[in-house]
Amino acid sequence: MDDRYGTDVLARGWRDAGRIKPAEVAASVDLVVEVAGTDYVGAVTRVEGMNVELEDRFGKRRLFPLGGGFLVDGKPVVLKAPSAAPKGRTRTASGSFAAEDQRARTARASRIFVEGKHDAELVEKVWGADLRAEGVVVEFLEGVDLLEQVLDAEPPTAERRYGVLVDHLVPNSKESRIAERIARGRHGAHVRIVGHPFVDVWQCVTPRALGIAAWPEVPRGIEWKVGVCRALGWPAEEQADTARAWQHILSKVTTFRDLEPALLGRVEELIDFVTVP
């Protein structure tokens, strides 16, 4: 015998037997829906928390709770918040693909030396995520003149390589003579010294990033950073002024595109050198 009411009067869901379950529809922007039991028809403008905002043909907007009670093309639906769009692979400020696991690696024995605090801050700003992923520490020397002393105190080896970034590394300069002497010496096999041609690391930031036409020419006899600040109309009376000027410059750097190619290639070269297996 066919009992269309069922045999168990206490069974769950008996009220819904035979009913068609409304489809779940994502409340995407511009989806046109009708509020059941009313004449209100509107397009989705946004989802805010557990509510959906609809805009009717007169431009009036109203909030309704997400869920049932809506019609799409005359059919009952349950509106739900749209799923978040899948994120593509993100890139670091240096342009590298960010690793999925962002935990810093245990520091390697190998490291990168830079001449001063500003150099270290700039490298950290652009390559910091990459260096942490590789476990590379950046230290500053307070001048390339101290490099030989540092190497003698803790000599590099095949397992402890040193990369060195030098300012104003041009032919016949003091910096180039020091680099050549170290390369020929007993530490040369495990040290890579590279540099950019600019007077100071400030110039490694492109003028475009700062909104200026070019870096000012500073006459001989004037301290370079002081001369730059004066030429650009920035305070330059004391060291705190140049420190603030650098922080302003650094704030304009957000990606590798804000740096000169002469620096970009050299830093990448050092990272490759100190991370050789």
Side-chain angles (χ1 to χ4, degrees):
M1 178 178 176
D2 183 16
D3 184 353
R4 65 191 180 100
Y5 296 105
T7 56
D8 186 355
V9 297
L10 298 180
R12 299 179 65 180
W14 61 274
R15 293 182 181 275
D16 297 326
R19 292 183 181 178
I20 298 176
K21 186 177 180 180
E24 290 190 346
V25 175
S28 303
V29 173
D30 293 334
L31 175 70
V32 177
V33 300
E34 178 183 351
V35 180
T38 74
D39 294 329
Y40 189 87
V41 177
V44 174
T45 55
R46 65 190 172 106
V47 172
E48 184 178 279
M50 297 303 296
N51 297 307
V52 59
E53 183 181 71
L54 303 179
E55 181 179 305
D56 66 16
R57 61 192 180 94
F58 301 108
K60 296 182 64 176
R61 297 186 178 188
R62 293 175 57 185
L63 284 175
F64 298 91
L66 287 168
F70 299 97
L71 305 175
V72 172
D73 296 330
K75 297 178 181 179
V77 299
V78 174
L79 285 185
K80 64 177 185 177
S83 301
K87 293 183 178 179
R89 294 187 66 186
T90 58
R91 290 183 180 270
T92 65
S94 71
S96 303
F97 283 114
E100 293 183 6
D101 185 355
Q102 289 295 317
R103 290 175 298 179
R105 176 175 173 167
T106 301
R108 297 172 183 262
S110 299
R111 63 198 58 191
I112 292 175
F113 289 102
V114 297
E115 282 205 79
K117 181 180 178 183
H118 293 179
D119 306 65
E121 289 176 338
L122 186 60
V123 170
E124 163 62 27
K125 185 79 179 282
V126 177
W127 288 275
D130 304 41
L131 293 169
R132 283 186 288 276
E134 293 290 349
V136 177
V137 174
V138 174
E139 298 183 7
F140 60 91
L141 291 167
E142 292 292 359
V144 70
D145 312 70
L146 301 177
L147 179 56
E148 289 177 285
Q149 180 180 332
V150 170
L151 297 178
D152 289 338
E154 192 173 358
T157 65
E159 292 74 32
R160 183 172 59 231
R161 294 176 163 217
Y162 295 154
V164 185
L165 180 67
V166 179
D167 296 336
H168 199 231
L169 190 63
V170 295
N172 301 318
S173 66
K174 175 192 71 174
E175 291 81 4
S176 67
R177 290 193 293 272
I178 292 174
E180 290 166 4
R181 185 168 63 247
I182 292 174
R184 292 193 303 266
R186 63 191 181 97
H187 301 309
H190 307 302
V191 176
R192 177 71 57 84
I193 303 175
V194 300
H196 57 77
F198 305 111
V199 174
D200 191 273
V201 75
W202 287 22
Q203 287 181 291
C204 292
V205 179
T206 65
R208 176 191 51 78
L210 290 173
I212 59 177
W215 283 97
E217 294 288 338
V218 178
R220 288 182 177 274
I222 298 178
E223 201 278 318
W224 189 84
K225 291 176 182 175
V226 171
V228 166
C229 289
R230 288 174 179 169
L232 294 176
W234 299 343
E237 300 306 315
E238 53 189 15
Q239 187 175 357
D241 293 328
T242 54
R244 281 190 290 270
W246 167 244
Q247 290 306 313
H248 170 72
I249 294 167
L250 187 63
S251 72
K252 300 301 182 181
V253 177
T254 56
T255 76
F256 69 97
R257 295 182 179 86
D258 298 320
L259 301 181
E260 296 288 355
L263 175 69
L264 295 174
R266 304 294 72 75
V267 175
E268 297 287 349
E269 180 181 349
L270 292 182
I271 293 174
D272 289 343
F273 178 76
V274 299
T275 57
V276 169

